[in-house]
Amino acid sequence: MPLNDERPTSTSTSSERCDSLTSSSDVDCSRQSFASDSSSKHNSPSCSPPKTLTLDEVMASARDLSNLSLAHEIVVNRNFHLEPPDLPQNSLEKKVKDMVHKAFWDCLESELNDDPPEYDYAIKLLDEIRDTLLSFLNPGANRLRTQIMEVLDMDLIRQQADNNAVDIQGLVSYIINTMGKFCAPVRDDEIKKLKENSGNLVTLFKEIFRVLDLMKMDMVNFTIQSLRPELQRQSVEYERAKFQSILERTPSALDHTNEWIKSSIEEATQIMPPSDKSSDSGQSGKPLPGPTLVLNTAYIRLLTWDESKGPLPETLMTDEVRLQEMQRSLQLYQAVASVLLIVYSSIGGAVSGLPTLVERLKKMTAVLLEGMHSADFNLTEALGNVSAQICCEVNKSLAERNFPALPTELQETLKGQICDITQENNPIRTLVEGRVQQYFRVVLASTNSHRTPPPVPPGLGLIQSELMGLGVSFVNLVNFNKKVYGPFYVSILKNLLFIDMPAPAPQNGIIQGPPSSPLESK
C-alpha cells in the first residue's frame, strides 16, 4: 500500500519473468563436469552419515521449508497475495473470538455511558490505534511521526480523562483523517464511510479497527509486491541455500528425488536414439542415456504423477499445486482431443468445414468433463452425456442445412466409441497420450520453446492453443527448477550414471570429464 502519498509501482512483466526463468547461462556456469569433485557449499548436496535429529533441528528445517515455499510462491506467482482470515461460521475459534470481542465492546459501551464517563477501555484502543498508525510510516517520515505522537499523547489523554476533559470525538476524527493519508486508493470509500458515520463511539471504533485490519493486509501485500523484483534477482541462490540448509540438517531430504531420477533412467534408455545406444555405455555394456535426456524424462513423468504410489520429489514440493493444476488441465485436454478425434473419424462429413460447430463441440465437451480428476467423478456417465450432446448439436446443424439426421445406429456407435476411452488400452486414448508425451519431449529439448512453442503433432491440432500454453508454463517451471536444484541433480546423476566408469586419463596435466556432456538447461 502506498505510504505518505506514495503509490505502488508495477513489478516485472510476464515476458520478463519468462526470460529470466529460461536463461541457461546461470545454469551452465554453476554446473561442473560430472567427473569433477570440486564443489562449493551451494553447488552440491552435502553428504553426511545418518544421525538422530533433535526437535530443534526438525523445527528449524520446518521453518526453512516454510520460508522457501513462501519465497518461491512470491517469485513464480505474480498474483500471489494475502487475504484477511475468514473463519468458518460455526467453528469454535470464531465463536470464541466473537464472544471475547462482544464482551470487550460491551465493557467499552458501559464505560462511556457512565456518568461521568470512564475512558480506560477507550484509552487502550487509542494506544493500539496509535501504534498501528506509526507502523504504517516510512522510516523518514519524522514530521508525521511527531504529529501523531503529539496528538495521541497517552499521558496527556489520561490526565484529560481524569479531569473529564478528553475530546474522544476530536481524537477519532483526527485518526480517520490520518488513516485517509495512509490508505491505498481502494480503501478511499471505506474512509469516506467512516467520516460520514455519526453513530455512537463504540460502532465507530469497531469500524476503525475493521478498516485498519484491511490496511494492514494492504501493507503486507504492498511489501510483497515491492520485494518481488529483488527476490526474482536473488531467488535462485536464496532457494538453493535454503534447501542446502535443510539438507544439512536432514540428510534424507533427497531420498525421493534420488528415486525419481533413478527410475527415469530406464525409461530414458528405452527412448534413446539408436545411434546413442551404440556409442554410449558404461562398464556393464548397457546403453547409457545422457543426463539431459534422463532429467527431461523425469520432468515429463511429473505430468502423469500418481501420488498414491509415492510423494513428489523433494525438489518439486514448492511447485506441487502448480503441477497438480497442469496434470488436471492436461488430463482434460487429452480427453477432449480423444472425443473430437472419434467424432471426426466417425462422422467427419457432418462437421467438416464447420469450425464454429467444432469449437462449440470442443467447449461443450470441456465443460461436461470439468472435474474429471476427482475420485467421485463418474467419467463413463459424463462421456455418455457428451456423446448425447454431440449428436444433438450435429443433428441440429444438419437440420439447419437441410440434411437428414444421423442414423440411430451411427449415434449408438459414436456413443460406444466415446465411452470406450475410459479403457487404458483404448487406441485413440493411447495415440493422443503418446503424441502429447512426444510434444512435451520436444518442448523440453527446444532452446526457445518458452518464447516460440513448437507446433503440436498431427491429431492434436484441435487442442493446439491449450497445449502450447501449457507447454510454455511447464517449460518455465522446469527451467527455474533446473536453475535452483541443478547442482543437486548433477551430483545424483553423476553417482547413478558414472559411478562405474573408469577414471579418465589426464591430458596435458588436466583431468578431462566423461564422454557425456554435463547437464544442460534447455
Side-chain angles (χ1 to χ4, degrees):
M1 82 177 230
L3 306 180
N4 304 341
D5 298 328
E6 294 180 6
R7 290 290 183 257
T9 55
S10 61
T11 57
S12 59
T13 62
S14 177
S15 60
E16 290 171 343
R17 182 64 195 145
C18 291
D19 292 346
S20 67
L21 290 180
T22 52
S23 173
S24 61
S25 59
D26 292 343
V27 184
D28 294 337
C29 292
S30 68
R31 294 174 183 173
Q32 305 295 327
S33 168
F34 280 93
S36 172
D37 291 330
S38 62
S39 64
S40 63
K41 179 178 180 181
H42 303 312
N43 282 355
S44 63
S46 61
C47 298
S48 50
K51 64 176 183 178
T52 302
L53 297 178
T54 65
L55 179 60
D56 288 342
E57 289 174 323
V58 172
M59 294 303 295
S61 295
R63 284 193 298 271
D64 281 344
L65 181 59
S66 176
N67 292 337
L68 172 61
S69 300
L70 179 59
H72 182 79
E73 195 67 26
I74 291 173
V75 168
V76 302
N77 184 0
R78 296 182 68 246
N79 297 320
F80 176 79
H81 65 282
L82 299 180
E83 296 181 353
D86 186 15
L87 299 177
Q89 189 63 33
N90 296 320
S91 66
L92 177 62
E93 185 178 357
K94 180 172 176 56
K95 291 179 179 179
V96 172
K97 178 182 177 181
D98 291 345
M99 188 183 306
V100 172
H101 283 197
K102 184 178 185 304
F104 180 88
W105 295 119
D106 287 347
C107 290
L108 174 63
E109 187 171 21
S110 176
E111 277 195 349
L112 293 178
N113 290 334
D114 284 345
D115 189 16
E118 296 289 336
Y119 297 103
D120 290 344
Y121 282 94
I123 291 174
K124 291 178 181 178
L125 293 180
L126 292 173
D127 193 16
E128 185 175 342
I129 291 172
R130 183 190 67 174
D131 291 342
T132 302
L133 293 177
L134 292 175
S135 70
F136 292 152
L137 291 174
N138 286 327
N142 296 324
R143 183 183 60 80
L144 200 50
R145 186 184 305 275
T146 301
Q147 183 189 87
I148 293 173
M149 293 295 293
E150 289 177 351
V151 176
L152 297 177
D153 185 338
M154 291 300 110
D155 293 334
L156 178 60
I157 292 174
R158 287 189 184 94
Q159 292 177 14
Q160 292 173 340
D162 292 339
N163 294 284
N164 196 25
V166 63
D167 182 11
I168 294 292
Q169 194 67 51
L171 293 174
V172 168
S173 178
Y174 170 78
I175 289 170
I176 294 173
N177 289 330
T178 306
M179 289 169 61
K181 297 177 182 179
F182 294 163
C183 73
V186 71
R187 305 299 173 200
D188 287 345
D189 289 342
E190 298 283 359
I191 299 298
K192 183 178 179 181
K193 291 177 183 178
L194 288 178
K195 292 180 178 179
E196 296 172 351
N197 193 333
S198 58
N200 62 37
L201 283 174
V202 175
T203 302
L204 195 52
F205 270 121
K206 285 182 182 179
E207 287 301 299
I208 286 175
F209 273 91
R210 183 184 65 83
V211 176
L212 282 175
D213 285 341
L214 295 176
M215 292 173 61
K216 289 178 185 178
M217 200 57 61
D218 293 339
M219 178 68 166
V220 171
N221 288 324
F222 177 72
T223 303
I224 289 174
Q225 293 290 337
S226 302
L227 286 175
R228 180 173 284 120
E230 186 64 24
L231 281 175
Q232 287 174 343
R233 286 190 289 270
Q234 303 183 20
S235 57
V236 172
E237 288 299 326
Y238 175 81
E239 292 191 31
R240 188 184 300 160
K242 280 295 179 185
F243 190 80
Q244 178 70 37
S245 67
I246 295 173
L247 191 60
E248 288 171 353
R249 297 190 190 97
T250 315
S252 61
L254 277 174
D255 285 358
H256 296 304
T257 304
N258 269 285
E259 289 300 318
W260 168 57
I261 295 178
K262 184 178 181 180
S263 59
S264 301
I265 292 178
E266 183 176 350
E267 184 176 340
T269 302
Q270 295 173 355
I271 63 175
M272 282 176 62
S275 58
D276 292 347
K277 289 186 178 181
S278 60
S279 62
D280 228 3
S281 62
Q283 284 186 339
S284 61
K286 294 181 179 180
L288 184 66
T292 301
L293 179 60
V294 172
L295 201 53
N296 285 350
T297 302
Y299 279 121
I300 291 174
R301 290 179 57 211
L302 298 173
L303 294 171
T304 55
W305 192 269
D306 186 356
E307 292 189 3
S308 64
K309 297 181 181 178
L312 279 172
E314 297 88 348
T315 54
L316 271 303
M317 293 303 293
T318 51
D319 288 308
E320 182 176 11
V321 174
R322 272 172 288 279
L323 284 171
Q324 287 177 350
E325 291 174 352
M326 289 181 187
Q327 289 174 355
R328 294 167 184 174
S329 297
L330 186 59
Q331 188 180 7
L332 178 62
Y333 299 156
Q334 290 176 160
V336 171
S338 300
V339 168
L340 294 180
L341 280 179
I342 292 172
V343 170
Y344 266 96
S345 63
S346 301
I347 54 172
V351 297
S352 178
L354 299 173
T356 303
L357 174 61
V358 173
E359 187 64 24
R360 188 160 67 247
L361 296 180
K362 172 182 170 181
K363 291 181 178 179
M364 179 193 66
T365 303
V367 169
L368 292 175
L369 296 181
E370 188 70 37
M372 61 182 294
H373 60 275
S374 302
D376 57 350
F377 188 87
N378 191 329
L379 182 57
T380 302
E381 180 182 343
L383 289 171
N385 294 334
V386 167
S387 61
Q389 289 295 323
I390 287 176
C391 291
C392 181
E393 289 291 332
V394 171
N395 285 333
K396 180 181 177 182
S397 174
L398 290 172
E400 291 173 352
R401 292 176 288 151
N402 297 321
F403 287 109
L406 297 174
T408 304
E409 302 81 16
L410 182 56
Q411 294 185 42
E412 290 299 322
T413 301
L414 179 64
K415 179 178 180 180
Q417 290 179 341
I418 289 177
C419 291
D420 280 348
I421 68 173
T422 57
Q423 307 298 322
E424 291 189 5
N425 59 351
N426 179 269
I428 297 294
R429 173 178 172 175
T430 302
L431 174 67
V432 170
E433 291 178 353
R435 290 187 176 176
V436 166
Q437 295 281 312
Q438 173 189 346
Y439 175 73
F440 278 97
R441 282 196 291 270
V442 173
V443 165
L444 291 185
S446 173
T447 58
N448 202 34
S449 56
H450 63 288
R451 292 194 185 95
T452 309
V456 299
L460 301 182
L462 295 170
I463 58 169
Q464 174 171 307
S465 58
E466 293 84 359
L467 204 56
M468 292 174 71
L470 187 61
V472 170
S473 299
F474 184 64
V475 79
N476 284 340
L477 184 151
V478 166
N479 285 338
F480 186 73
N481 184 265
K482 282 183 179 180
K483 280 187 173 185
V484 176
Y485 299 102
F488 300 99
Y489 297 149
V490 166
S491 178
I492 293 171
L493 287 167
K494 176 181 175 181
N495 292 331
L496 292 176
L497 294 177
F498 305 109
I499 194 66
D500 61 347
M501 294 189 67
Q507 298 182 12
N508 298 326
I510 301 175
I511 299 294
Q512 299 296 320
S516 296
S517 62
L519 181 65
E520 296 174 355
S521 174
K522 295 294 183 183

